[in-house]
């Protein structure tokens, strides 16, 4: 079920109004989970880093042994055509899935790829919308266990377990550990913390996607003269932080006001990160 409105779908060479069927019951991507997607945003008439999201989709496909069929630059042009007429914020989701299995069965066949783009009108959360975090017993996998170097649908049931556990405890999201027990990210977004004016974020160690928006925030902050450190961080480090915020395509920046029994202000660095991102987005 779609979570937005005003849905448009690009499939088999053209745009269609509505959430049309695109996958068949025997498609490999349905019953074997060989599917990848990416997410980008239209808001205020701009689509920041759309080209990077489209390029990452192709890398994700290759990581899942799915043959990409659309060049990223062509994908960008298809998306821009589909966005014409929208006067609201849109969630942009290009997707690949494998159609046939190879002679191995569980591995997808080469050059047998489905492709679609879904556009949904979904508001960008306001700057003052915050969330809370708690710990979860579930952890991020490593590359030897799962396709951590892809934005793969198969990874998301683990995220869902984290979110459901957090919700049952009365929190909005989960702060998640890696295989070593250090902080990786949250169930749905990369995470940053601020201590004494310095911004910290877990170093990308292969257990989570180092996001496009995450990289944009790091570049924007450093250009603004703020020190940013990518390093190993513990849960105790987050309890000792002055500010915590999340980074992802859906919200861009979201302040955290509580981690278990530790409370934070929606502080000046978090607000500055959002201002810097919006300045960047509109300058494009």
């Amino acid at each position: 079920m779609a979570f937005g409105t005003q849905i448009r779908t690009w499939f088999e060479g053209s745009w269609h109004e509505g959430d049309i069927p695109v996958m068949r019951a025997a498609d490999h991507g349905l019953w074997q989970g060989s599917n990848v997607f990416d997410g980008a945003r239209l808001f205020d008439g701009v689509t920041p880093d759309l080209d990077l999201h489209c390029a990452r989709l192709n890398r994700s496909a290759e990581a899942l042994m799915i043959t990409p069929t659309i060049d990223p630059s062509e994908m960008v042009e298809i998306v821009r055509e589909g966005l014409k007429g929208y006067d609201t914020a849109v969630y942009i989701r290009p997707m690949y899935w494998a159609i046939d299995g190879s002679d191995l069965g569980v591995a997808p066949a080469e050059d047998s790829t489905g492709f679609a783009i879904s556009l949904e009108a979904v508001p960008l959360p306001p700057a003052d919308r915050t969330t809370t975090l708690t710990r979860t017993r579930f952890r991020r996998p490593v590359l030897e266990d799962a396709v951590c170097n892809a934005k793969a649908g198969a990874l998301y049931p683990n995220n869902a377990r984290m979110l459901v556990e957090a919700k049952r405890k009365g929190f909005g999201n989960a702060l998640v550990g890696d295989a070593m027990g250090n902080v990786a990210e949250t169930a749905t977004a990369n995470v940053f913390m601020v201590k004494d004016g310095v911004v910290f974020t877990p170093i990308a160690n292969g257990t989570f996607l180092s996001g496009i928006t995450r990289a944009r925030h790091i570049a924007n902050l450093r250009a603004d003269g703020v020190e940013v450190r990518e390093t190993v961080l513990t849960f105790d480090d987050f309890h000792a932080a002055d500010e915590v915020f999340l980074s992802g395509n859906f919200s861009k920046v979201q302040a955290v006001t509580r981690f278990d029994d530790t409370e934070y202000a929606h502080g000046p660095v978090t607000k500055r990160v959002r201002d810097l991102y919006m300045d960047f987005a509109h300058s494009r």
Side-chain angles (χ1 to χ4, degrees), residues 2-250:
F3 66 99
T5 60
Q6 302 178 49
I7 301 168
R8 290 178 184 164
T9 308
W10 195 91
F11 182 57
E12 295 185 339
S14 61
W15 282 104
H16 308 266
E17 294 299 324
D19 186 19
I20 68 165
V22 298
M23 190 179 287
R24 298 167 301 184
D27 280 4
H28 194 273
L30 181 63
W31 72 288
Q32 289 289 340
S34 52
N35 57 77
V36 294
F37 74 98
D38 216 290
R41 272 292 205 173
L42 167 74
F43 61 90
D44 299 340
V46 297
T47 53
D49 290 327
L50 174 60
D51 55 339
L52 301 184
H53 286 283
C54 292
R56 186 173 65 179
L57 176 69
N58 279 14
R59 295 196 301 272
S60 292
E62 291 168 348
L64 240 69
M65 298 170 287
I66 302 169
T67 306
T69 57
I70 307 292
D71 184 81
S73 61
E74 180 184 356
M75 206 180 302
V76 168
E77 292 308 311
I78 294 171
V79 169
R80 294 197 188 284
E81 177 67 26
L83 289 172
K84 291 178 180 178
Y86 279 99
D87 59 359
T88 185
V90 177
Y91 187 78
I92 303 163
R93 187 172 60 248
M95 301 166 281
Y96 285 120
W97 64 95
I99 295 175
D100 299 315
S102 69
D103 56 350
L104 299 174
V106 295
E110 293 184 5
D111 300 314
S112 180
T113 306
F115 175 75
I117 303 170
S118 177
L119 304 180
E120 301 183 47
V122 181
L124 193 70
D128 60 356
R129 180 176 294 181
T130 62
T131 192
T132 56
L133 299 176
T134 186
R135 292 188 65 163
T136 171
R137 68 187 185 277
F138 303 111
R139 293 189 180 185
R140 285 291 182 203
V142 296
L143 189 60
E144 289 78 6
D145 300 331
V147 193
C148 302
N149 57 338
K151 198 168 178 67
L155 296 174
Y156 279 76
N158 194 41
N159 299 10
R161 296 191 302 176
M162 300 168 187
L163 284 173
V164 169
E165 182 184 12
K167 182 178 180 180
R168 286 173 178 165
K169 293 167 66 176
F171 292 83
N173 209 322
L175 192 61
V176 180
D178 60 18
M180 299 299 293
N182 298 308
V183 173
E185 58 171 352
T186 71
T188 60
N190 295 141
V191 66
F192 290 79
M193 53 166 274
V194 184
K195 183 66 176 178
D196 298 329
V198 179
V199 177
F200 298 83
T201 191
I203 191 166
N205 61 4
T207 65
F208 64 94
L209 278 182
S210 176
I212 291 167
T213 306
R214 172 186 182 273
R216 186 60 63 193
H217 291 328
I218 292 172
N220 289 344
L221 283 164
R222 287 175 174 165
D224 199 47
V226 178
E227 182 180 357
V228 182
R229 299 180 190 173
E230 297 179 77
T231 187
V232 175
L233 295 169
T234 67
F235 290 96
D236 286 342
D237 290 328
F238 276 82
H239 280 299
D242 301 321
E243 301 177 43
V244 174
F245 63 90
L246 308 187
S247 161
N249 168 67
F250 187 79

